[in-house]
Structures are given as structure tokens and as C-alpha cells.
Amino acid sequence: MYNFFFYAVPEHFPFLLQGALVTVELSLISMLLGTLLGFFLAVGRLSARRALRWPLDAFVEVVRDTPLIVQLLLIYFSLPEAGIVLSAFWAGIAGLTLNLAAYLSEVFRAAIVAVDKGQREAAISLGMSPVAVYCRVIIPQAALASLPTLGGYFIALLKDCSLVSFISVNELLRHATIVISDTFDSMDTYIMVAIIYFMMSFISARIIRYVEVWLTPSNRRATLSVPLTMDKEGAR
Amino acid sequence: MTGPKPPVLTVRQLRKTFQGNAVLRGVDLSLHEGEIACLIGPSGTGKSTILRCLNFLEQPDGGEITFFGQYLCAEDGNSNIFRIAPPRVLQAARARMPMVFQHFNLFSHRTVMENVVEGQVVVLRRGRAEARDRARDCLARVGMLERADFYPDQLSGGQKQRVAIARALAMSPALILFDEPTSALDPQLVQEVQGVIRDLSAEGMTMLIVTHEMRFVRSIAHTVHFCEGGRIAESGAAADIFGPNAPPRIQTFMEVAHG
Ligand SMILES: Nc1ncnc2c1ncn2[C@@H]1O[C@H](COP(=O)(O)OP(=O)(O)OP(=O)(O)O)[C@@H](O)[C@H]1O
Ligand SMILES: [Mg+2]
């Protein structure tokens, strides 16, 4: 205990935090790219053209049926043979993005399909073009519906980032490995790593929850006047 | 007025088959400006399908529809070629004949005001300010202005349907299609929606209404079309259809419907 607080923490915590910062960077960038790609995958897979649909379906299937770590190793070590050289960091981003996109495309697809068919028809019957129906009615509702799931995926992603330490990205877990090889103090180091992961996940979950509440239309309505007028109506 | 105007809408030999089930077998219909036509008939005879083919929510398989003289679909009797107008034409036509649905179908992620503004801005390309003015006007006409900032799930069925009517009105329509606008409502809410439709009729709005409410039809319709077996089996002025000399099959239907 004494050693933990008065030696390990002051000595190595800042270095671990540097690694954590990279983990956060990886997560945020992959989340952003993965969400965009996942969305277009979902729309593409729902599109009527079969020629476009099957390669996308196949991509999603392959990504979901192979381990992330294998995908990362392939991207980092095998793509250069095909002439595509990525730094460890961007190879990590690429792997995490593709993986996330495949899973999110399923989430988005389900959310899009679940949007009330009647509202789609109402939009069409007002004369909206298919693109307008999508942008104005279907996407906003599907996005809102997928938000909680998206939050869950972000937290999973934060932790999945530890896998990119295998391709030598200097993120949290790899920094921990470096510390341990220096000090042989694996117990204290891993406790600190666990604490940092916990804090990152915990804070993210709070932020996500806050965004969710803020984006839900029913929470943005003018609250106070509503029950009053409703009561009046009911009394009549 | 100098002589009769051409019809707003004409339908000739409209046909529609669902998976081998011939639902519409040649529907003929026409509608003039200011006319209120009611479409009645037993359940499952294709009344909704007729409305949904008029605005191409369903694609008809044959026949002819004209809207202000413009063909929305047409067929060449000799060569048997059936053609549907391009999407742009259909979209423009839909905007001028919006539909009011049985289940309201309000945009649940938007407020009452935004529901009524939406089509104006997205389809008619009106400016926001103008669209909001018009929306306020339409909401006032259906008595829903005080609820402008509410979300659909905060409204009763009757209120939702009034907003849906305002949404249609905001498009400055030439014709409004109603598919059983009061069927999903609690009995005590039916009146408020029927009242709004009655107000529109007083203002001369052209309407095509599918409904099972015979008393309402009797009080509002100029023309009644009786739909049976995928065709308009009888058509007539409301007075004749409800008069003592009504065609026998309509009398039978009325007795079953309630009398
Ligand atoms: N999308 C569809 N696919 C297959 N069959 C359909 C479809 N829509 C309607 N039908 C069939 O077409 C027939 C007519 O349906 P429609 O809804 O037009 O009747 P309706 O006169 O409006 O009946 P109701 O008074 O009960 O509303 C029914 O037999 C129905 O099962
Ligand atoms: Mg129907």
C-alpha cells in the first residue's frame, strides 16, 4: 500500500495517463469514422440494388466472423505487402473503424427499418422526394433510437483499444507493459490501469447519458406550461 | 362562373392487383372543384387502395389518372402499354392532394408546429417565416394553435387528427384525401374531427373521403360512390343515395352499416 501511493502512483501514473490520452484519441476518431461508415453501410445494404447489397453484406459478415485482433494484425502486417503502409496508430484506427462500422451497420439498419411506416407514407404523401423522406423523417428518428446502443458500443470500443497495443500503438495498455518491464511491479501497475479504464468508461457513460437526454425531443419540450394546460383541457 | 370547369381529378379503369388478388378491377371516378365526394362500401373492397393509388403510395397496374388535366398514369388501349408519370410529376401532384390517414401518422420527433411547417419548407420551398405564418393560420383553423409546441405523443387522438388536417391544409391543397379519418378515435372525439372537416366544406375545399360514418356522409357529401367488388358499383348525388329510391344494394349496405 505504502509503495503504491508513495512510489508507484507519483512515478508512473503520468506516463500511464499519456497512454490513456492515446486510447481516448483512438476511440474518438474510430467512433466518428465507424459511425459514418456504419451509417452508409446500413443505407447501402437497405438500398434496392442487389449488385450493391451483396458485397456490403459479405463485408459485414466477414468482419463480424473474425476476431478484431486478427483484423488488426492483418492490416498492420499484411497490407504493406499490398503496398498500403499505415503507421501503427492509423492501422489501429482503420481496424477499429471497420470493425465498429460492421456492427453499427446492423444497429442502424434495425433502427431504420423500425421507423413507423405510417410516418414514411405521410412524408411521401406530402410530396417529399425519397431523399427528403430519408433525411427529414427516417434518419432523425433512427439516429435517436440507436443512440443508447451507440453509447454502449463506445464504451466497448474504449476497452477494445487495448488490443492495438499488439501492433505497438503506444496507448494505455502498452504504456503499462513498458512500466512493468521497467519496475517488475505488475500488480500496482495493472491496478492503476484498471482505475484509469474505469474512470474513462464511467465518465463516458455519464456524458453519453447526458447527450441522450438532451437530444430526446420529449425532454426539450416546454415542460411547465404543459401539465397546466392539459389539466384545463381535462377539466372541461 | 361561366360553364362547368374541367374536373380536378379523373380516374378511368384503374386496376390494382396484390399478389394475384385483383383488388381494383376498373375504377371510374371524377371529382370537381369544391366537390365533397364520399367513398363508402363494405370492408376490404379496396377503398383505401383507391386513395393510395391516387397519390401513388401504391402503384396501380393499369388505367388512367389525370389531375388538373395532367396524366399521372395512362395506358394506350391499342398497344397495352401502361405508363406512370416521372417521380417529379408525382411528387408535385401529391403535394397538391395531401392525405389524412386513419392513424394520423404525425412526425413523432417534431412538434405540432414543425409538423405543419415541414412539408411547406421541404416540398414547397417556402421560407421558414412564411411557413410558420401559414402553419399558425392552419392550426388556428383546426383549433390547435395553443398546442403548437406540443409533441404528438402529448395529444389526444382527436387533436392528432386535427394537426394532421392542418398539415394537409398547409400545403395549399387542391384536394384532400381522407382515409377513415375518425375510425381510430374514441366515440367522443369523432365529433371534433368531423366538425373540422365540416368547416373545410363550408370553405369550399375539395375532398375525397373514405368513411364508414353514414350519418356524416349524409350531412356532408355532395356525391357518394359505393365501392364493391373492386369497382364503383353505384355513384350518385347524396340526396339520391340516401333517398327513398336508393339503389337496392346500397339500401342493403346501409341497413347492415347501421341505418
Ligand atoms: N399491401 C397489400 N398487400 C396485399 N394485399 C393488400 C395490400 N393492401 C390491401 N390489400 C388487400 O386489398 C383488399 C382491399 O384492401 P383495402 O384496404 O383497400 O380495403 P378497404 O375497402 O379500405 O377496407 P376497410 O374498409 O376495411 O378499410 C383487401 O383484401 C386487402 O387484403
Ligand atoms: Mg381502408
Side-chain angles (χ1 to χ4, degrees):
Chain A
M1 254 323 174
Y2 181 88
N3 183 56
F4 181 73
F5 283 113
F6 292 97
Y7 175 71
V9 168
E11 194 70 4
H12 300 298
F13 202 73
F15 183 65
L16 291 178
L17 277 184
Q18 273 175 26
L21 199 64
V22 175
T23 296
V24 170
E25 270 175 46
L26 282 169
S27 305
L28 287 177
I29 298 175
S30 308
M31 189 70 199
L32 187 71
L33 297 179
T35 303
L36 286 175
L37 185 62
F39 169 74
F40 286 113
L41 271 177
V43 174
R45 293 175 70 199
L46 284 168
S47 85
R49 281 179 203 89
R50 192 168 309 160
L52 179 62
R53 216 184 317 159
W54 84 257
L56 299 180
D57 284 349
F59 168 79
V60 170
E61 202 59 42
V62 168
V63 170
R64 297 199 327 150
D65 294 347
T66 51
L68 173 57
I69 182 68
V70 174
Q71 294 161 13
L72 287 168
L73 294 172
L74 271 174
I75 290 173
Y76 189 54
F77 292 111
S78 306
L79 275 190
E81 300 194 6
I84 305 171
V85 183
L86 294 173
S87 69
F89 182 82
W90 286 102
I93 296 270
L96 292 168
T97 297
L98 292 180
N99 198 267
L100 185 67
Y103 282 94
L104 287 185
S105 83
E106 292 283 282
V107 173
F108 291 145
R109 194 168 71 145
I112 288 171
V113 170
V115 172
D116 175 23
K117 188 164 154 279
Q119 292 183 41
R120 191 185 298 239
E121 290 188 345
I124 294 172
S125 75
L126 288 175
M128 288 192 202
S129 66
V131 173
V133 174
Y134 240 78
C135 294
R136 306 292 308 182
V137 177
I138 295 177
I139 306 286
Q141 295 193 48
L144 208 58
S146 7
L147 214 56
T149 320
L150 222 58
Y153 273 91
F154 180 74
I155 294 182
L157 175 67
L158 211 52
K159 293 177 285 186
D160 280 351
C161 280
S162 56
L163 286 176
V164 303
S165 62
F166 282 93
I167 57 170
S168 74
V169 178
N170 286 313
E171 48 67 75
L172 177 54
L173 193 65
R174 191 169 155 85
H175 274 202
T177 317
I178 293 169
V179 169
I180 292 167
S181 66
D182 227 31
T183 63
F184 303 104
D185 187 2
S186 55
M187 163 112 157
D188 285 347
T189 311
Y190 283 136
I191 288 176
M192 285 190 279
V193 166
I195 290 171
I196 294 174
Y197 271 120
F198 177 80
M199 289 191 319
M200 291 196 298
S201 299
F202 188 81
I203 293 168
S204 308
R206 289 292 125 135
I207 294 174
I208 290 160
R209 180 79 201 114
Y210 180 79
V211 171
E212 233 170 76
V213 169
W214 179 68
L215 281 180
T216 305
S218 52
N219 293 319
R220 277 184 288 152
R221 51 182 66 143
T223 35
L224 254 185
S225 66
V226 173
L228 290 176
T229 38
M230 295 270 258
D231 283 352
K232 254 188 260 159
E233 176 80 356
R236 255 196 274 150
Chain B
M1 202 153 68
T2 55
K5 288 188 179 174
V8 171
L9 184 78
T10 66
V11 179
R12 274 195 37 236
Q13 285 303 302
L14 187 69
R15 295 183 302 283
K16 174 70 186 173
T17 301
F18 286 113
Q19 294 115 36
N21 172 17
V23 174
L24 303 184
R25 299 156 180 267
V27 170
D28 294 297
L29 196 69
S30 71
L31 198 67
H32 290 80
E33 196 180 317
E35 181 177 347
I36 297 165
C38 287
L39 205 50
I40 62 172
S43 198
T45 47
K47 303 181 298 298
S48 297
T49 306
I50 294 175
L51 287 199
R52 295 168 59 80
C53 282
L54 293 182
N55 68 1
F56 292 80
L57 280 179
E58 301 286 358
Q59 272 204 7
D61 300 323
E64 189 180 284
I65 301 174
T66 70
F67 186 53
F68 287 103
Q70 183 176 35
Y71 283 96
L72 301 185
C73 67
E75 65 190 347
D76 186 332
N78 300 322
S79 52
N80 251 339
I81 295 173
F82 176 65
R83 266 183 308 183
I84 294 177
R88 225 164 249 288
V89 173
L90 297 185
Q91 284 158 19
R94 285 181 186 128
R96 298 186 68 194
M97 57 166 146
M99 183 155 172
V100 173
F101 297 84
Q102 183 176 357
H103 296 286
F104 331 124
N105 300 358
L106 294 180
F107 305 129
S108 55
H109 60 307
R110 303 214 184 275
T111 62
V112 164
M113 172 58 80
E114 290 162 350
N115 262 278
V116 183
V117 163
E118 190 70 10
Q120 301 185 63
V121 171
V122 175
V123 178
L124 304 181
R125 311 244 167 242
R126 288 186 184 142
R128 286 237 156 234
E130 184 194 352
R132 289 181 74 85
D133 281 348
R134 167 120 194 129
R136 247 177 246 119
D137 191 49
C138 295
L139 285 170
R141 278 162 78 183
V142 300
M144 285 299 295
L145 189 53
E146 315 92 277
R147 298 285 186 281
D149 295 324
F150 283 46
Y151 281 85
D153 63 4
Q154 296 173 299
L155 304 177
S156 72
Q159 292 174 331
K160 283 183 204 172
Q161 197 59 299
R162 280 148 62 194
V163 173
I165 293 171
R167 177 171 68 179
L169 270 180
M171 303 303 283
S172 315
L175 158 67
I176 303 182
L177 307 172
F178 289 87
D179 190 5
E180 302 197 27
T182 60
S183 295
L185 299 178
D186 293 339
Q188 69 270 24
L189 301 180
V190 168
Q191 289 301 326
E192 68 180 60
V193 171
Q194 289 184 348
V196 166
I197 298 174
R198 231 183 283 280
D199 292 344
L200 294 184
S201 84
E203 294 164 22
M205 179 60 71
T206 314
M207 299 188 266
L208 180 55
I209 306 173
V210 172
T211 179
H212 289 288
E213 302 274 342
M214 287 309 138
R215 224 167 310 145
F216 181 59
V217 174
R218 191 194 295 250
S219 69
I220 198 174
H222 302 142
T223 327
V224 176
H225 301 284
F226 178 70
C227 185
E228 197 174 46
R231 290 195 180 82
I232 304 292
E234 304 279 354
S235 287
D240 298 336
I241 294 284
F242 288 97
N245 299 323
R249 54 182 157 187
I250 293 192
Q251 283 181 355
T252 315
F253 171 72
M254 298 283 186
E255 280 157 23
V256 176
H258 67 238

